[in-house]
C-alpha cells in the first residue's frame, strides 16, 4: 500500500481552540504538512480545488509549485482538478509548467468537483458537468500529446494549429479520474484505460464498491485488462489515540464543527452521528489497530493500491501528532500486508531534474 496526505485548505475556527488562521498562516500550514509528509515517507501530497469560502484552494498548481520548491521526492497530486469548469488550454499550460518545476512529480486527478458554486462562477450549468468534463479532457489530452492541434467543441472557442507551451516534462503526465457519485466518471476512466481515485468519504462502502466494480467491468469492455486496474481510495478524517474511546472523545468537537458547515450540509451525510460514521463509513477514528483493520476491510472490497488521508481542521500540533502516528504505527503494517506496485520507482531527485528549483 502507498500513502498520500492531502488538504482541501478549509479554513474555519478551530473546534478546540477557537482560533482562526489567517490566509497566510493557512498557506504556510499546508506547506508544513507537505514537508512533514515527505519527511515521514508518504509517497504523495495532494491539494484539492474549491472556489469559495471557507476553502483557500482555488489555485492548486500555484500551491503545489510552492511545495515543489521546498521538497525533492514526494509526488504532487491534485485532489481534484475541477476540469469540468476550466479552460483546457490554461490547464495544459499551468500543469505542464508545474510538471517541469517539480522535476516530473505531478500526478493530476481530474473530476467535476464537489461544490456546486463553481458552475455559475465559470459559466456552465450543473446539468452540463459530465459532458463538459469529457469534452475538456479529450482536448487536454490532445494538447499534451500533440502539436498543431485544431479542434472545435461546445465549451470553448475553436483552436487552429495550436501548440501549448511548455510541453510536459513527463511523457505523459499521469492522470487519475476522481470518482465519487456517478458511473460517468468511471466510464471516462475506463475508456482511456486510466486509474481512478475513489473519494470514499461521504457514503457507506457499498456505494463506492459498486463504482469501482463498474470501472473494472468497463475496462474489460474497452479492451483493457481489469486485473491491472489501478485504484486509489480516500478515507474520512483521521484521528488516532491509544484506544477507540479516547479517539472518539478527542475527535468529537472537530466532527461537530465540520458537520455544521455549509459544505457538510450540501453533502447530506447518510450517517446519523459520529459513532455511525465510524461504524459504517470510512472515517479513521480509533486506535492504530482498529484503523489498520478498517483499511484492510476496505481493501478486501476495493482492491486499491493507494490510500489518502487528511488532517484538515486539527490544530497544527495535532496534525503533526496524527500524521506521525499514522506513518509509524499504521503505514508500516499496511505496506507489509499489502504490497503495491504503484509508484514503485522514485521520482527523479530534484537536483537531477530538467529544471532545478532552489528551496531558498
Amino acid at each position: 500500500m502507498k500513502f498520500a496526505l492531502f488538504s482541501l485548505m478549509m479554513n474555519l475556527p478551530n473546534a478546540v481552540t477557537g482560533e482562526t488562521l489567517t490566509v497566510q498562516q493557512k498557506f504556510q500550514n499546508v506547506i508544513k504538512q507537505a514537508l512533514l509528509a515527505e519527511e515521514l515517507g508518504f509517497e504523495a501530497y495532494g491539494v484539492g480545488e474549491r472556489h469559495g469560502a471557507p476553502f483557500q484552494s482555488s489555485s492548486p498548481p500555484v500551491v503545489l509549485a510552492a511545495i515543489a520548491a521546498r521538497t525533492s521526492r514526494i509526488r504532487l497530486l491534485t485532489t481534484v482538478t475541477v476540469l469540468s469548469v476550466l479552460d483546457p488550454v490554461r490547464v495544459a499550460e499551468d500543469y505542464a509548467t508545474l510538471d517541469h518545476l517539480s522535476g516530473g512529480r505531478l500526478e493530476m486527478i481530474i473530476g467535476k468537483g464537489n461544490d456546486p458554486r463553481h458552475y455559475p462562477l465559470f459559466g456552465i450549468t450543473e446539468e452540463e458537468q459530465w459532458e463538459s468534463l469529457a469534452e475538456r479532457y479529450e482536448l487536454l489530452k490532445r494538447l499534451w500529446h500533440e502539436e498543431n492541434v485544431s479542434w472545435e467543441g461546445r465549451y470553448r472557442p475553436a483552436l487552429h494549429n495550436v501548440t501549448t507551451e511548455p510541453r510536459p516534462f513527463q511523457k505523459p503526465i499521469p492522470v487519475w479520474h476522481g470518482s465519487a457519485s456517478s458511473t460517468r466518471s468511471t466510464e471516462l476512466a475506463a475508456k482511456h484505460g486510466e486509474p481512478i481515485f475513489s473519494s470514499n468519504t461521504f457514503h457507506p462502502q457499498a456505494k463506492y464498491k459498486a463504482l469501482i466494480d463498474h470501472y473494472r467491468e468497463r475496462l474489460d469492455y474497452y479492451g483493457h485488462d481489469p486485473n491491472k486496474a489501478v485504484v486509489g481510495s480516500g478515507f474520512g478524517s483521521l484521528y488516532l489515540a491509544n484506544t477507540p474511546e479516547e479517539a472518539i472523545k478527542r475527535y468529537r468537537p472537530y466532527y461537530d464543527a465540520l458537520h455544521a458547515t455549509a459544505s457538510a450540509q450540501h453533502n447530506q451525510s447518510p450517517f446519523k452521528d459520529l459513532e455511525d460514521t465510524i461504524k459504517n463509513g470510512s472515517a479513521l477514528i480509533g486506535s492504530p489497530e482498529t484503523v489498520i483493520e478498517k483499511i484492510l476491510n476496505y481493501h478486501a472490497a476495493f482492491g486499491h493500491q493507494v490510500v489518502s488521508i487528511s488532517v484538515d481542521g486539527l490544530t497544527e500540533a495535532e496534525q503533526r501528532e496524527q500524521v506521525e502516528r499514522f506513518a509509524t504505527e499504521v503505514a508500516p503494517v499496511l505496506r507489509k500486508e499489502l504490497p503495491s506496485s504503484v509508484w514503485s520507482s522514485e521520482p527523479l531527485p530534484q537536483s537531477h531534474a530538467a529544471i532545478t528549483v532552489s528551496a531558498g
Side-chain angles (χ1 to χ4, degrees):
M1 189 66 68
K2 304 296 172 62
F3 300 96
L5 181 65
F6 77 96
S7 175
L8 285 172
M9 299 180 65
M10 179 184 284
N11 198 20
L12 292 168
N14 184 271
V16 172
T17 67
E19 175 188 10
T20 302
L21 299 179
T22 66
V23 174
Q24 173 58 208
Q25 288 171 329
K26 186 61 184 178
F27 278 109
Q28 294 305 316
N29 170 247
V30 167
I31 292 172
K32 290 176 186 177
Q33 279 190 20
L35 293 172
L36 179 63
E38 177 164 271
E39 175 189 332
L40 293 173
F42 282 75
E43 282 80 13
Y45 187 83
V47 173
E49 180 176 338
R50 292 287 193 276
H51 295 275
F55 303 98
Q56 303 298 324
S57 54
S58 58
S59 300
V62 179
V63 177
L64 290 172
I67 292 170
R70 300 283 299 277
T71 57
S72 62
R73 178 195 57 80
I74 200 164
R75 288 169 175 84
L76 306 175
L77 305 181
T78 63
T79 55
V80 300
T81 296
V82 187
L83 188 58
S84 59
V85 300
L86 302 177
D87 180 356
V89 173
R90 182 78 263 183
V91 172
E93 295 170 338
D94 285 348
Y95 284 100
T97 300
L98 172 59
D99 195 35
H100 278 277
L101 292 173
S102 67
R105 289 184 284 140
L106 169 65
E107 303 219 0
M108 178 182 284
I109 305 177
I110 66 165
K112 55 86 179 174
N114 188 47
D115 187 336
R117 292 178 296 178
H118 55 229
Y119 298 115
L121 188 64
F122 290 95
I124 74 166
T125 65
E126 191 164 357
E127 292 71 28
E128 297 174 292
Q129 60 186 328
W130 297 112
E131 290 80 5
S132 174
L133 176 63
E135 178 184 293
R136 293 173 200 253
Y137 185 49
E138 296 286 350
L139 176 55
L140 177 63
K141 282 182 72 73
R142 289 194 60 194
L143 292 170
W144 273 346
H145 288 267
E146 303 174 28
E147 298 181 359
N148 302 314
V149 173
S150 294
W151 173 91
E152 289 187 10
R154 180 179 178 186
Y155 293 103
R156 64 147 292 127
L159 300 176
H160 303 284
N161 297 321
V162 170
T163 301
T164 56
E165 296 289 348
R167 308 306 294 156
F169 178 72
Q170 298 178 88
K171 310 289 184 199
I173 293 174
V175 175
W176 302 63
H177 295 251
S179 171
S181 60
S182 171
T183 55
R184 299 288 290 273
S185 57
T186 49
E187 184 78 18
L188 186 64
K191 177 182 177 182
H192 290 284
E194 294 168 336
I196 64 168
F197 217 109
S198 174
S199 71
N200 188 37
T201 51
F202 303 124
H203 300 283
Q205 183 186 93
K207 178 179 178 67
Y208 300 108
K209 183 181 186 305
L211 290 169
I212 293 169
D213 289 346
H214 175 265
Y215 166 64
R216 289 194 170 95
E217 292 167 5
R218 299 305 288 173
L219 276 173
D220 186 56
Y221 172 83
Y222 285 110
H224 307 290
D225 186 352
N227 294 316
K228 296 181 179 178
V230 176
V231 178
S233 178
F235 278 82
S237 300
L238 172 72
Y239 207 102
L240 297 166
N242 293 335
T243 67
E245 293 76 18
E246 180 188 357
I248 291 171
K249 180 180 179 180
R250 291 178 62 182
Y251 183 71
R252 190 178 300 279
Y254 296 111
Y255 172 87
D256 292 340
L258 177 63
H259 283 262
T261 64
S263 176
Q265 296 301 314
H266 165 71
N267 289 328
Q268 297 181 336
S269 172
F271 307 119
K272 63 183 180 180
D273 53 27
L274 176 56
E275 285 75 10
D276 189 28
T277 298
I278 296 169
K279 180 180 179 181
N280 295 305
S282 67
L284 302 178
I285 314 298
S287 66
E289 293 76 17
T290 61
V291 165
I292 290 168
E293 181 181 357
K294 173 169 281 191
I295 294 175
L296 289 172
N297 174 273
Y298 271 80
H299 180 267
F302 294 173
H304 58 287
Q305 296 96 325
V306 179
V307 161
S308 69
I309 61 169
S310 176
V311 289
D312 279 358
L314 307 182
T315 65
E316 197 161 278
E318 285 177 305
Q319 288 178 17
R320 173 172 284 275
E321 173 199 8
Q322 291 301 316
V323 175
E324 286 180 343
R325 290 199 70 168
F326 187 90
T328 57
E329 300 177 51
V330 176
V333 176
L334 294 170
R335 284 195 175 101
K336 182 178 179 180
E337 291 286 326
L338 304 171
S340 170
S341 62
V342 176
W343 300 333
S344 57
S345 61
E346 289 289 312
L348 284 175
Q350 195 84 4
S351 59
H352 296 159
I355 291 181
T356 301
V357 182
S358 170

